[in-house]
Amino acid sequence: MSSSADTSGTASADTSGTAGAADTAVPETAEHDPDGWEAFAERPAPGAMDPPSPDREVARAVQQLRKVLDASRRQTDDQLSAVREVVADLARQAWRLDALLLEAAGPLREAGKGNLHKRLDVVRKEIRDRLADLDIEAEDPTGRPFDAVADVVDVLRWRHEPGFTTEEVAETYEPIVRDGSVVVRYGQVVVGAPPATGDDEDGAAPDGDRSAEHDTTPDEAHQVRAEDRPEA
């Protein structure tokens, strides 16, 4: 009886001791998996996204189209301005052709070349007509009162002679060229006036500052001062 009890007590003690050790053992730490679900932090769900507004998309497209059109318009304006500059110079050259044909009319007829003069005159008229279609005009101010053209000519020099009773354009070296109502080339002229009095001499501008160009030579007449040109 005693032996059986001892055996039972020993077994019971061993069993309880083993169970206690199992309860107090520290569990092994699992290895961290960087690709596991624990790597993802919780984030709030995004709110509802509004779909693109058709009106907004149309407005953006219209704005882009306007930019393209504006750039194209500026380029076209620049090209047109360059073309009209060339045409204005052509009008000046056509005016020179008029003067040359008028001067050559007599000698050509005397040389039996009257038909040549007529053909050249037809070409001259065609050029003038084409320029008129573009509203480009070369005006010869010879004989006009100086006050009427003072703002659109450069005076090369003054000519004081008894034959002049008032100040008027006595000679034109370069015409006044107009593009519509805008002057794009100043005329280059000689102004006639009554004989000077006192200390004034032929070639000097009355009132001192009426002509800053009286010393300009005819060869320089086609070079209009850029700062005096009106805006095109």
Side-chain angles (χ1 to χ4, degrees), residues 48-63:
M49 298 180 63
D50 296 333
S53 169
D55 293 341
R56 187 180 304 170
E57 294 299 318
V58 170
R60 184 180 295 110
V62 170
Q63 185 177 12

Side-chain angles (χ1 to χ4, degrees), residues 189-201:
V189 302
V190 173
V191 176
T197 58
D199 296 332
D200 293 339
E201 297 180 357

Side-chain angles (χ1 to χ4, degrees), residues 81-214:
S81 177
V83 170
R84 296 194 75 86
E85 182 76 10
V86 173
V87 173
D89 188 66
L90 178 61
R92 182 171 63 88
Q93 300 297 342
W95 176 86
R96 287 182 172 180
L97 178 60
D98 289 350
L100 290 174
L101 284 176
L102 182 62
E103 181 181 347
L108 285 175
R109 292 193 187 96
E110 292 175 1
K113 301 293 184 180
N115 288 335
L116 175 60
H117 181 270
K118 290 181 179 179
R119 293 200 301 271
L120 291 174
D121 193 56
V122 169
V123 174
R124 177 193 67 82
K125 290 179 179 179
E126 289 180 351
I127 294 175
R128 295 294 293 269
D129 290 343
R130 296 298 179 271
L131 291 171
D133 291 341
L134 296 173
D135 207 13
I136 303 291
E137 176 189 7
E139 175 188 348
D140 187 336
T142 301
R144 296 190 61 186
F146 174 67
D147 288 342
V149 296
D151 294 336
V152 291
V153 298
D154 288 327
V155 179
L156 302 180
R157 62 180 179 273
W158 289 78
R159 183 186 299 166
H160 299 279
E161 297 177 357
F164 297 106
T165 58
T166 60
E167 296 176 356
E168 64 179 67
V169 178
E171 190 175 357
T172 300
Y173 283 102
E174 294 289 339
I176 303 166
V177 181
R178 302 179 188 272
D179 184 346
S181 60
V182 178
V183 175
V184 294
R185 289 281 194 283
Y186 276 20
Q188 306 289 323
V189 302
V190 173
V191 176
T197 58
D199 296 332
D200 293 339
E201 297 180 357
D202 185 46
D207 303 330
D209 61 351
R210 294 195 66 177
S211 171
E213 294 290 321
H214 62 273

Side-chain angles (χ1 to χ4, degrees), residues 11-47:
S12 176
D14 292 341
T15 303
S16 61
T18 303
D23 292 338
T24 59
V26 177
E28 296 183 2
T29 303
E31 184 179 354
H32 177 69
D33 183 3
D35 295 328
W37 285 105
E38 64 273 9
F40 295 92
E42 292 186 0
R43 293 179 299 176

